[in-house]
Amino acid sequence: MAALGKAAARWAPGLWRRAVRAAVWLGGRRFASGGAQSPPTFGLLLDIDGVLVRGHQVIPAAQEAFRWLLDPQGQLRVPVVFVTNAGNISQCTKAEELSAQLGFQVEPDQPLPRNDFPAIEGVLLLGEPVRWETSLQLITDVLLSDGNPGTGLATAPYPHLPVLASNTDLLWMAEAKMPRFGHGTFLLCLEAIYRKLTGRELHYTGLTGKPSLLTYRFAEGLLARQAAQRGWAAPIRSLYAVGDNPMSDVYGANLFHQHLQTQQEGAARSCASILVCTGVYGPQAPGPPVPAPGSEGSPFHGHRDFGFRPELLQAAHVVSDLHEAVRLVLRKEGWAL
């Protein structure tokens, strides 16, 4: 988590692009095409936590899944992009970590060219901190003092400084049996504190990460670029988004699918949501029964600014794990298993 105010808050040009890139990782090398399989016309958007790993432990089914995604030479058979809301680690470090865990080379996205945007003063929130109370105090000080916490103001300014947040996940899955509080829970605390102190609502200049359309549009571009690097001439028409969190992964994929139905630009025509049961969502999870996503009585875990549309929480497919998800996709696309 990074909190920036006037005293230390003039962030470099390209802020929005960096916020989006913090949520997207590109998987796979630029291998030469091999084998007799026709070029793929589909691509995979894979979540990480709860789909590939639980904390530092690889989910065995994820390793099995890549047996179907890699050819005998260890080359990806289809374009794959890892899309995660976690922004507390650099792309290069995450790529190295995934490479060691999955057993093949994962490369980070290449930085985009910088544009000449004017400097902005405000607050950038990327992920839940270790010491919540200290960070909540610091961010509140910056907002209530208009970026000058050393001086203080008699009246809290409103509108306050711009606030950008990436990752609104209320929960995420690590090694523990129960879900862990995510950055969305931290934002909920910040919103409640600000409202309690000022009587006003905290306003976000923008939200990135899943389920925002901005993240999925960026990921679609990475899939197309990866296909071009591999020499696959066929356009990527169908996207399959695999995740464990109904609110971020399923909601976002369905929202993007609706968006694609109304757009003419770009090659993609569909984005199917696939929900796995190895993370936040799991019918056999300990504790009281949880209503199915989108059903009557199910709690809304999304951020207030995204609104609640129950139909977007309904996954196109619910499977046990990534292995089953990959087999489902390959069968639907008519590829040999």
Side-chain angles (χ1 to χ4, degrees):
M1 189 280 296
L4 306 179
K6 277 189 177 178
R10 288 180 169 78
W11 54 74
L15 167 65
W16 271 103
R17 284 184 172 85
R18 286 204 303 280
V20 175
R21 285 203 303 274
V24 182
W25 312 92
L26 175 61
R29 277 192 175 280
R30 302 177 185 180
F31 297 118
S33 297
Q37 180 69 57
S38 60
T41 59
F42 64 98
L44 296 174
L45 305 178
L46 304 183
D47 185 31
I48 295 179
D49 293 302
V51 175
L52 302 177
V53 299
R54 292 275 296 267
H56 297 291
Q57 301 297 318
V58 180
I59 297 173
Q63 293 178 315
E64 289 293 318
F66 278 95
R67 291 176 55 190
W68 302 104
L69 294 176
L70 298 173
D71 65 17
Q73 290 72 45
Q75 303 172 355
L76 281 169
R77 301 170 62 198
V78 301
V80 175
V81 169
F82 299 122
V83 187
T84 175
N85 274 347
N88 59 344
I89 187 174
S90 73
Q91 292 190 38
C92 290
T93 301
K94 190 63 175 181
E96 293 174 358
E97 185 179 280
L98 285 176
S99 297
Q101 292 172 321
L102 298 176
F104 75 98
Q105 186 65 35
V106 176
E107 293 190 350
D109 170 46
Q110 297 299 314
L112 295 175
R114 292 176 59 178
N115 293 325
D116 293 328
F117 293 117
I120 303 175
E121 298 174 340
V123 176
L124 174 62
L125 306 169
L126 295 178
E128 66 274 15
V130 175
R131 297 180 59 186
W132 286 34
E133 73 286 356
T134 300
S135 297
L136 288 169
Q137 181 71 69
L138 174 60
I139 297 169
T140 302
D141 288 347
V142 169
L143 293 175
L144 297 185
S145 66
D146 201 31
N148 295 283
T151 58
L153 296 175
T155 304
Y158 200 83
H160 51 67
L161 291 172
V163 178
L164 296 178
S166 176
N167 179 1
T168 60
D169 287 351
L170 188 74
L171 303 168
W172 69 288
M173 211 67 186
E175 289 98 340
K177 296 295 184 181
M178 303 294 289
R180 304 294 88 189
F181 292 148
H183 192 220
T185 306
F186 178 79
L187 297 178
L188 189 63
C189 293
L190 178 62
E191 295 159 12
I193 291 171
Y194 187 83
R195 186 190 318 106
K196 193 72 170 180
L197 293 176
T198 67
R200 299 175 181 270
E201 293 294 333
L202 183 72
H203 172 72
Y204 294 93
T205 304
L207 295 171
T208 64
K210 299 176 292 187
S212 73
L213 287 176
L214 184 64
T215 293
Y216 285 89
R217 286 199 297 263
F218 186 76
E220 178 195 5
L222 292 183
L223 282 175
R225 190 169 76 185
Q226 187 181 153
Q229 290 170 347
R230 289 288 303 275
W232 292 325
I236 303 301
R237 297 293 190 186
S238 304
L239 309 182
Y240 295 90
V242 184
D244 70 302
N245 191 324
M247 185 54 230
S248 58
D249 301 316
V250 173
Y251 196 101
N254 289 340
L255 188 65
F256 188 52
H257 177 76
Q258 289 189 353
H259 170 77
L260 291 175
Q261 308 310 298
T262 63
Q263 302 299 310
Q264 298 300 319
E265 75 273 8
R269 294 293 177 263
S270 65
C271 182
S273 56
I274 303 178
L275 180 64
V276 298
C277 303
T278 51
V280 171
Y281 177 76
Q284 305 304 320
V290 178
S295 63
E296 185 177 354
S298 61
F300 176 54
H301 288 172
H303 190 272
R304 63 172 198 207
D305 291 359
F306 284 118
F308 183 36
R309 296 171 58 185
E311 71 277 8
L312 294 182
L313 291 174
Q314 300 284 349
H317 307 279
V318 179
V319 298
S320 58
D321 50 42
L322 181 60
H323 185 209
E324 186 178 339
V326 168
R327 289 174 61 87
L328 169 69
V329 171
L330 295 182
R331 284 197 302 267
K332 288 179 65 68
E333 293 295 328
W335 278 42
L337 295 175

